[in-house]
Amino acid sequence: MDAALSEFASKGLQGARAEEIARQSGAAKRMIYYYFTDKEGLYRAAIQHAFSSPSALGNLSDLEDMATLPALEEMIGRTFDMHVERPDFVRLLLQENFQHGEHIRTIPEISQGTRSTIATWRKLLDRGIREGLVREDVDPVKVHHSISALGQFYISNQYSLKANFDIDSSLPETVALQKKHVIDMICRWILRPSTKFGPSE
Amino acid sequence: MDAALSEFASKGLQGARAEEIARQSGAAKRMIYYYFTDKEGLYRAAIQHAFSSPSALGNLSDLEDMATLPALEEMIGRTFDMHVERPDFVRLLLQENFQHGEHIRTIPEISQGTRSTIATWRKLLDRGIREGLVREDVDPVKVHHSISALGQFYISNQYSLKANFDIDSSLPETVALQKKHVIDMICRWILRPSTKFGPSE
DNA sequence: TATGAAATGGACAATTTGGTCCATTTATCC
DNA sequence: GGATAAATGGACCAAATTGTCCATTTCATA
C-alpha cells in the first residue's frame, strides 16, 4: 500500500504503472487485481488509506492546558509536521486537485478533519484575542491555509529548492529551520504589534 | 503548445496522452512527431516554452521610484499575480518536482530568473531596513519562498478549497482577497512592530 | 498557374500496459 | 500431516497508446 501511495503520489492515476507498484511492494501483480479489481480500485484504496491514517493531526486536547502563546506555536508546529511526516499524502492531494478531485469526492471523512482543525484554531485564536495577544481580525481559515501552504511548498518543491537555492530538505536541520520559519512568520502575522515575540528584536 | 502545457501540467509526462494534446490543439497528431520526434520531445519543448515565456516577473525597475512600503506591497502583489496568471506553469513545475526534476535539469535559464528576483528583493528589503521600516533579520529568500508558497497553494488546491471551504477561485473577487491576504501577511511579518501598516489596528 | 513546402486524415504497425489464466508453491489451521 | 485458502510466477491475451505511412490537400510564393 505504501508502494501504491508513493507511485500514485508522484505520477498520478494515469501516470502510475501497476507493474512498478507490484515490483516495489514485493507482491505479485496478480494480487492487485485479486484484491482491488483494477488500477483505479487500488488508487481509491490508496487515497482512503492515506486519509484514514491514524494521525490527521492527532489529539489536540493538550493544547488547552498550555499558555496561549506556546499553544499557538505548538499548533503551528504540529500542522507543519503533519506535512513533513506524510509527503506522499501531500503530493497525492495535489495530484487529485490537478484532476479536479474526481476520486476524492467519494471519501467524506476528509472535510470532517479540516472542520475540526478549524474549530481548534478558532478556540485558540479567540483565547489569544481575549488575552490581548492576537489581533482581532485574524481569520482561522486563513491561518490554517497559510501554514498548509508553507508545509506543502517545502515538501513539494524539494528539487527546485535544491537546484535553485542549494537547500537540502533531506537534512533534519533544514526541516527544523523551515519549521521555525513558519512558526515565526505566522506568529508575527497574527500577534498584535505590541505582543512581545521571538528571539529577534 | 498551450494544449500540451495544459495536459502535461495536470497529468505529468507519463499520464498525458498525445492524442488528447493533438485533439485539444486542433492539430494533427502526426505533427507532434513531425516537429518534436516523440512525446518526451514535446514535453521538453513545453517546459522550455513555459520558462522562456515573456513575463517571468517582467520589468521591476519602476519599483525603485516608489516609496518603500508601496514598493514592497507592489513586489509581493506581482509575485503573487505571476502565479495566478500562469497556473499551468505552476502545476508543471510541481509535476517536475514530483519526478525529481529530471527534465528541467536541461534548462539553465531557470535559476537565472530566480537569482535576479532575489537580488531585487534584497535591494528593496535593504532599503526598508535603512529606513527603519523592515526588521533587520529578514531573509530575502524566505520572503520569496513564502509568497510563492501562498501563490502555489491557492492555484494548486482549487478543488480542495471549493470542496472543504466553499471558496471559488474562479471568481476574480476571490483572487483579489487572496492577494490581499498574502500582501497583508508578508508585510506584517517583515515590517517592524513599530511600523504602521494596514487598514486594521 | 506552377511549385514545393507545410499540414492533414486516417488507417495501421509497434510497443507498452492493463488485466487474466493456471499450475504450483507457500502459509494456515485443525 | 492433511485440507484449505492465500499467494506466486510468468506466460499470455486484450486493450490502449505511441509512433508511422501515404496519398491527398492546403497554402504561400514566384
Side-chain angles (χ1 to χ4, degrees):
Chain A
M1 188 57 68
D2 287 338
L5 197 66
S6 158
E7 175 82 358
F8 284 129
S10 68
K11 302 190 191 167
L13 168 57
Q14 313 199 58
R17 297 293 167 237
E19 198 156 354
E20 177 63 17
I21 295 174
R23 207 182 55 76
Q24 283 258 346
S25 73
K29 186 171 70 156
R30 183 72 181 76
M31 288 295 100
I32 292 176
Y33 301 97
Y34 185 77
Y35 284 108
F36 306 103
T37 332
D38 57 13
K39 187 164 87 157
E40 197 176 322
L42 175 59
Y43 183 70
R44 272 193 296 266
I47 290 183
Q48 203 124 26
H49 176 80
F51 274 97
S52 61
S53 201
S55 93
L57 254 181
N59 188 3
L60 295 171
S61 59
D62 54 330
L63 292 177
E64 299 187 13
D65 301 326
M66 300 172 69
T68 302
L69 196 55
L72 284 169
E73 295 184 36
E74 179 67 20
M75 181 73 183
I76 298 166
R78 285 195 205 170
T79 306
F80 181 80
D81 287 341
M82 195 246 287
H83 290 81
V84 173
E85 284 159 16
R86 304 170 75 198
D88 285 335
F89 170 81
V90 172
R91 284 189 271 259
L92 189 61
L93 189 58
L94 281 170
Q95 292 280 12
E96 264 297 297
N97 267 281
F98 292 174
Q99 313 273 6
H100 313 294
E102 307 220 337
H103 294 86
I104 248 180
R105 218 181 290 273
T106 59
I107 300 165
E109 292 103 306
I110 300 158
S111 51
Q112 182 75 27
T114 53
R115 236 187 297 281
S116 96
T117 305
I118 296 295
T120 303
W121 268 116
R122 179 162 280 123
K123 253 193 292 183
L124 247 178
L125 291 169
D126 277 346
R127 174 145 68 105
I129 293 172
R130 274 199 310 277
E131 295 177 11
L133 298 173
V134 174
R135 287 188 298 109
E136 288 180 10
D137 61 347
V138 167
D139 174 4
V141 172
K142 282 186 185 138
V143 172
H144 180 245
H145 284 172
S146 302
I147 305 168
S148 297
L150 268 291
Q152 227 181 59
F153 179 84
Y154 278 125
I155 84 105
S156 300
N157 291 279
Q158 297 196 35
Y159 169 76
S160 294
L161 290 171
K162 179 73 182 139
N164 295 325
F165 302 97
D166 199 40
I167 293 174
D168 184 349
S169 302
S170 67
L171 302 174
E173 57 260 41
T174 303
V175 177
L177 281 175
Q178 292 168 349
K179 181 174 174 178
K180 214 160 127 186
H181 161 213
V182 176
I183 294 174
D184 181 78
M185 181 171 105
I186 300 292
C187 281
R188 290 190 191 278
W189 168 47
I190 65 175
L191 295 178
R192 301 183 63 151
S194 53
T195 303
K196 270 211 304 228
F197 170 79
S200 61
E201 195 156 48
Chain B
M1 187 57 69
D2 287 338
L5 197 65
S6 157
E7 175 82 358
F8 284 128
S10 69
K11 301 191 192 167
L13 168 55
Q14 315 200 55
R17 299 291 168 239
E19 197 155 353
E20 176 63 18
I21 295 174
R23 207 182 55 75
Q24 283 259 345
S25 74
K29 186 173 68 157
R30 183 76 181 75
M31 289 296 100
I32 292 177
Y33 301 98
Y34 185 78
Y35 283 109
F36 306 103
T37 333
D38 56 13
K39 188 166 87 159
E40 198 177 323
L42 176 58
Y43 183 70
R44 273 194 295 267
I47 290 182
Q48 205 123 25
H49 176 79
F51 275 95
S52 60
S53 202
S55 94
L57 254 179
N59 188 4
L60 296 171
S61 59
D62 54 330
L63 292 178
E64 299 185 14
D65 302 326
M66 300 173 69
T68 302
L69 196 55
L72 284 168
E73 294 184 36
E74 179 68 20
M75 181 71 182
I76 299 167
R78 285 196 205 171
T79 307
F80 180 81
D81 287 342
M82 194 247 288
H83 290 81
V84 173
E85 284 159 16
R86 304 170 74 198
D88 284 335
F89 171 81
V90 172
R91 283 189 272 258
L92 189 62
L93 189 58
L94 281 170
Q95 293 279 12
E96 264 298 297
N97 268 282
F98 292 173
Q99 314 271 4
H100 313 294
E102 307 220 338
H103 294 88
I104 249 181
R105 220 182 289 273
T106 60
I107 302 165
E109 292 103 304
I110 299 159
S111 50
Q112 181 75 26
T114 53
R115 236 187 298 281
S116 96
T117 306
I118 296 295
T120 304
W121 269 117
R122 179 162 281 122
K123 253 193 293 183
L124 247 179
L125 290 169
D126 277 347
R127 173 146 66 105
I129 292 171
R130 275 198 309 277
E131 294 177 11
L133 297 173
V134 174
R135 287 187 298 110
E136 289 180 10
D137 61 346
V138 167
D139 174 5
V141 172
K142 283 187 185 137
V143 172
H144 179 245
H145 284 171
S146 302
I147 305 167
S148 298
L150 269 290
Q152 229 181 58
F153 179 85
Y154 278 125
I155 84 105
S156 300
N157 292 279
Q158 297 195 31
Y159 169 76
S160 293
L161 289 171
K162 178 73 182 138
N164 295 323
F165 302 97
D166 199 40
I167 294 174
D168 184 349
S169 301
S170 67
L171 302 174
E173 56 259 42
T174 302
V175 177
L177 281 175
Q178 292 168 349
K179 181 174 176 178
K180 215 161 130 187
H181 161 213
V182 176
I183 295 174
D184 181 78
M185 180 171 104
I186 300 292
C187 281
R188 289 191 191 277
W189 169 47
I190 66 175
L191 295 178
R192 299 184 65 152
S194 54
T195 303
K196 269 213 304 230
F197 169 80
S200 59
E201 194 154 51

